[in-house]
């Protein structure tokens, strides 16, 4: 298997550093510092200590007995990233990046956020390690994820409401990049997913790969063998790459990337299923866009998936058919949320509920000997309000 | 020699510093852009920078974001921009430089882009989010069609990096005056002249300075250190404030004339001081 990315940050056709010159030196410096830290025993020890003592790793790999029984097919396991401190996998990455920021002597962290989980995770590590923190969030998302807005403020972060464009994750990332261009000397941009310019897709994947490494060990303890299917939702793709990366060379393990089907054609956020190769936010990857290269408006009930791009490495593996892309629509995702809540007592985030919903269609088609792992990337408390209004009168 | 290089040679012979105004094509509509380019050329612009609107302009401040939004409201695309330049070329010889982001060009296709741009009468292209590291593919095509691909240098670029970027420079090098996005500023950085002098000393091509250059005072400041001043947001602001008014075009013309007059007065003063007709080069 090729070592990815190459030294220019390319994953085959994808990836790279499509940014304004002002940022190039900062990206080159970050890459250099990261390469040193990767093999530095102090850095690795600090990271491992925080993963164990602060995030609460390893997270369990839970056998979903009642869900398995109800679906009547493959055995279903849940990787419990919802049990990470702050309630989602995002903190695996923010801890790593904050340690890099410390190394580089930066004083201020900035972040973009959609669902608010990455914003909360960044505000959290800023408080823990003593940075000032500003989080960019589209106005539409501040409304539909109000609890996370309050959490960020409580953690001492400043919230920067973004009113440009579609007022969602894409626009929050534009604004964060503009802020970084302006304050690059003392500011570290904590990108929340495996997208953006090199080296971000690489380092976010590496920090999130703890999910897949643990899963590999845990499933062997449970079952004595590797799983047949890994299922993860994909917006930018950080929980998916984190789960998939350690399994890429295990060709018997199938990987399914579940994209947001929204409410159907023209109103979704499924970049790999419906997009074309393009350049957005610093990397070449699949992008939802029109025929003249303007970035499309997206829709998903799950703000964390409501993004027109995807990590370049996912585009690469998708082209090579190492992973399969499927879509799940808003209503199915809500059903997925309900299903996991009622059978296992776990309320997943709307994003993760997309993966649950796809597993619910896949598992019954598989024999009872098959093993499926769903990445429950986050908990759903943040979504209760928007799910209630989605369901309307039929709420419960 | 390309039209852009030619223009700088002539400017130098006259002891003048160039004025490069920027407007977004299609802001507020293509017909107004057509009139604005003519007017700016008449009022002393030396090169026209035409913005190709993009939905996600990550290096632009609010003024140029809104300009792009206005242009995109009625779907201004690269094809429209080429058609506009073709029409302008029937009566204008002033160099035209396209300024934009990579995705619309990539989607159009690099080879087709370069061929169509050349055929329409475009002289150069500047892609804000295409640093030299990623530019090889497009540059092969623009070189083949004799278009100048303009690269940027910024306050954050080390001298070592500047040297490497300059080996690929054609037309001129675009020095980003501020660590930040485009937009009107009241003052320019104190170390601007030191930074530009360092780059100009090693540059095989002329140096233009843009981002934040907003007034006659700024233009005069730039005139002392560089070969051209690039003014964008200040002009877009006038367009925005004049939307729907009959004097939009003359108001932009007046600003361009004011900026050019300031530059010419510097050149005249320099000639009187030194008795030579060339701006000082290190």
């Amino acid at each position: 298997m090729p070592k990815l990315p190459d030294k220019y940050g390319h994953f085959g056709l994808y990836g790279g550093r499509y940014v304004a010159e002002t940022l190039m030196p900062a990206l080159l410096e970050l890459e250099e510092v990261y390469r040193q830290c990767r093999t530095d025993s102090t850095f690795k020890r600090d990271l491992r200590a925080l993963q164990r003592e602060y995030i609460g790793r390893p997270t369990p790999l839970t056998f979903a007995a009642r869900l398995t029984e109800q679906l009547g097919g493959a055995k279903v396991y849940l990787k419990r990233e919802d049990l990470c401190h702050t309630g989602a996998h995002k903190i695996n990455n923010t801890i790593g990046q904050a340690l890099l920021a410390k190394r580089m002597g930066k004083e201020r962290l900035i972040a973009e956020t959609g669902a608010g989980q990455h914003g909360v995770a960044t505000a959290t590590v800023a408080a823990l390690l003593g940075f000032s923190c500003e989080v960019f969030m589209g106005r539409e998302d501040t409304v539909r994820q109000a609890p996370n807005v309050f959490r960020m403020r409580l953690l001492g972060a400043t919230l920067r409401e973004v009113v440009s464009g579609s007022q969602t994750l894409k626009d929050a990332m534009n604004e964060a990049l503009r802020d970084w261009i302006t304050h690059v000397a003392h500011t570290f941009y904590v990108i929340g997913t495996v997208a953006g310019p090199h080296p971000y897709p690489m380092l976010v994947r590496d920090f999130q790969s703890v999910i897949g490494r643990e899963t590999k060990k845990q499933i062997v303890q449970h079952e004595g063998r590797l799983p047949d299917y890994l299922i993860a939702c994909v917006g930018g793709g950080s929980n998916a790459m984190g789960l998939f990366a350690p399994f890429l060379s295990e060709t018997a393990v199938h990987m399914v990337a579940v994209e947001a089907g929204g409410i159907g054609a023209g109103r979704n956020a499924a970049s790999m299923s419906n997009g074309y190769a393009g350049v957005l936010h610093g990397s070449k990857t699949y992008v939802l866009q029109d025929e003249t290269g303007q970035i499309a408006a997206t829709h998903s009930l799950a703000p964390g998936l409501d993004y027109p791009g995807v990590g370049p490495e996912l585009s690469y593996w998708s082209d090579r058919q190492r992973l399969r892309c499927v879509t799940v629509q808003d209503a199915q995702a809500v059903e997925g949320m309900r299903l996991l809540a009622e059978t296992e007592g776990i309320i997943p985030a709307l994003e993760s509920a997309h993966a649950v919903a796809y597993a619910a269609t896949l598992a019954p088609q598989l024999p009872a000997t098959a093993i499926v792992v769903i990445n429950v990337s986050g908990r759903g408390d943040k979504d209760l309000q928007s799910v209630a209004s989605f369901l309307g009168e039929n709420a419960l | 020699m390309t039209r852009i290089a030619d223009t700088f040679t002539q400017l130098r012979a006259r002891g003048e510093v160039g004025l490069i105004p920027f407007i977004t094509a299609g802001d507020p509509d293509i017909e107004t852009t057509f009139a604005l380019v003519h007017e700016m050329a008449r009022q002393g612009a030396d090169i026209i920078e035409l913005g190709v609107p993009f939905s996600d302009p990550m290096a632009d401040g609010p003024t140029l974001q809104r300009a792009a939004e206005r242009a995109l409201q009625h779907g201004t695309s690269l094809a429209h921009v080429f058609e506009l330049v073709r029409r302008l070329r029937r009566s204008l010889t002033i160099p035209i430089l396209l300024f934009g982001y990579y995705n619309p060009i990539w989607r159009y296709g690099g080879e087709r882009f370069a061929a169509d741009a050349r055929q329409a009468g475009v002289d150069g292209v500047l892609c804000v989010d295409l640093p030299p590291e990623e530019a090889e593919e497009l540059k092969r095509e623009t070189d083949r069609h004799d278009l100048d691909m303009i690269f940027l240098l910024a306050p954050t670029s080390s001298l070592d990096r500047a040297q490497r970027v300059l080996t690929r420079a054609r037309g001129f090098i675009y020095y980003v005056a501020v660590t930040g996005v485009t937009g009107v500023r009241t003052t320019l950085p104190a170390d601007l002249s030191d930074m530009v002098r360092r780059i100009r000393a090693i540059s095989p091509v002329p140096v233009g300075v843009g981002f934040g250059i907003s007034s006659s005072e700024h233009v005069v400041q730039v005139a002392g250190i560089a070969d051209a001043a690039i003014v964008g947001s200040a002009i877009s602001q006038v367009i925005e404030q004049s939307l729907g008014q009959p004097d939009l075009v003359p108001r932009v013309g007046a600003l361009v004339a004011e900026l050019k007059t300031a530059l010419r007065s510097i050149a005249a003063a320099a000639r009187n001081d030194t008795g030579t007709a060339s701006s000082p080069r290190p």
Side-chain angles (χ1 to χ4, degrees), chain A residues 7 11 53 208 214 262 313:
Chain A
K7 65 175 175 160
F11 301 88
E53 309 294 335
Q208 291 293 2
E214 287 176 8
E313 186 166 8

Side-chain angles (χ1 to χ4, degrees), chain A residues 30 33-35 37-38 43 94-106 131 188 203 207:
Chain A
L30 174 59
V33 170
Y34 177 62
R35 287 199 190 283
C37 289
R38 237 177 168 178
F43 182 88
T94 59
I95 288 263
Q97 289 198 43
L99 288 176
L100 290 175
K102 269 268 169 269
R103 276 272 164 132
M104 295 170 79
K106 305 289 182 185
F131 295 95
F188 188 102
L203 64 88
F207 290 138

Side-chain angles (χ1 to χ4, degrees), chain B residues 20 44 72 88 109 126 140 173-174 177 179 202 213 234 246 256:
Chain B
I20 309 181
L72 289 174
L88 287 165
L126 191 163
R140 255 199 312 277
I173 198 86
Y174 190 127
T179 304
I202 55 169
I213 313 299
V256 170

Side-chain angles (χ1 to χ4, degrees), chain A residues 8 10 13 15-25 28 164-165 170-171 174-175 177-185 276-282 284 287 289-296, chain B residues 53-61 65 69 72 75-78 102-108 128-134 137 152-158 161 165 176 178-181 185 211:
Chain A
Y8 304 103
H10 293 149
L13 280 178
R17 283 173 291 221
Y18 295 86
V19 295
E21 171 65 22
T22 309
L23 292 181
M24 278 302 294
L28 294 165
S164 57
K170 156 182 97 88
D171 310 285
N174 286 334
E175 253 346 280
L177 282 163
R178 290 179 188 124
D179 182 286
W180 199 33
I181 289 176
T182 309
H183 302 108
V184 62
Y276 298 88
V279 172
L280 177 66
H281 294 150
K284 194 178 279 178
V287 176
Q289 54 183 309
D290 70 15
E291 66 283 359
T292 68
Q294 304 301 338
I295 308 306
Chain B
F54 180 51
S55 53
D56 293 78
M58 67 177 174
D60 285 309
Q65 287 174 41
E69 277 169 27
L72 289 174
T76 307
S77 68
L78 260 179
Y102 190 42
N103 197 53
I105 295 175
W106 159 262
R107 191 75 208 274
Y108 194 90
V128 196
D129 56 351
L130 199 64
E133 282 84 348
E134 303 293 347
E137 195 182 332
L152 298 126
L153 285 172
T156 51
S157 318
S158 66
R161 178 169 173 80
V165 174
V176 176
V178 297
T179 304
V181 294
R185 308 283 201 286
F211 278 46

Side-chain angles (χ1 to χ4, degrees), chain A residues 52-294:
Chain A
R52 191 178 55 240
E53 309 294 335
Y54 192 71
I55 302 178
R57 302 208 71 92
T59 59
L61 181 70
T62 309
F63 174 56
R66 291 196 65 233
L67 179 63
T68 297
E69 190 186 358
Q70 175 152 342
L71 294 177
K75 292 175 90 166
V76 179
Y77 282 85
L78 309 171
K79 181 56 177 168
R80 301 292 308 280
E81 293 302 296
D82 58 312
L83 294 178
C84 290
H85 176 47
T86 72
H89 73 292
K90 291 294 185 186
I91 198 163
N92 299 328
N93 168 47
T94 59
I95 288 263
Q97 289 198 43
L99 288 176
L100 290 175
K102 269 268 169 269
R103 276 272 164 132
M104 295 170 79
K106 305 289 182 185
E107 300 145 16
R108 175 176 177 259
L109 304 183
I110 57 168
E112 84 293 339
T113 197
Q117 290 300 130
H118 175 60
V120 167
T122 305
T124 299
V125 297
L128 175 71
L129 299 172
F131 295 95
S132 74
C133 178
E134 290 185 38
V135 180
F136 294 82
M137 189 171 189
R139 176 176 283 167
E140 189 182 322
D141 291 337
T142 62
V143 173
R144 53 182 174 167
Q145 305 280 275
N148 274 342
V149 171
F150 186 66
R151 289 170 79 194
M152 284 183 263
R153 290 199 167 123
L154 199 56
L155 289 160
T158 303
L159 192 87
R160 301 275 297 271
E161 217 174 68
V162 177
V163 295
S164 57
S166 59
Q167 310 191 354
T168 59
L169 181 51
K170 156 182 97 88
D171 310 285
M173 194 150 177
N174 286 334
E175 253 346 280
L177 282 163
R178 290 179 188 124
D179 182 286
W180 199 33
I181 289 176
T182 309
H183 302 108
V184 62
H186 69 284
T187 295
F188 188 102
Y189 182 13
V190 183
I191 293 184
T193 190
V194 287
H198 179 64
Y200 284 98
M202 168 177 77
L203 64 88
V204 177
R205 172 199 66 195
D206 293 351
F207 290 138
Q208 291 293 2
S209 291
V210 67
I211 302 172
R213 285 197 306 273
E214 287 176 8
T215 302
K216 215 168 176 177
K217 210 181 290 174
Q218 291 164 323
I219 196 70
V220 170
Q221 282 162 4
H222 280 286
E223 295 282 346
R225 68 173 184 93
L226 296 181
D228 299 292
Y229 285 87
L230 301 175
I231 302 175
C233 66
V234 172
S238 69
N239 89 79
M241 271 320 301
L243 176 65
F244 296 167
F247 289 92
L248 283 165
S249 56
E250 310 285 355
T251 49
V253 179
H254 303 282
M255 298 171 184
V256 185
V258 186
E259 295 193 292
I263 50 175
R267 294 276 289 154
N268 59 71
S271 322
M272 289 186 287
S273 302
N274 302 327
Y276 298 88
V279 172
L280 177 66
H281 294 150
S283 63
K284 194 178 279 178
T285 188
Y286 280 105
V287 176
L288 290 167
Q289 54 183 309
D290 70 15
E291 66 283 359
T292 68
Q294 304 301 338

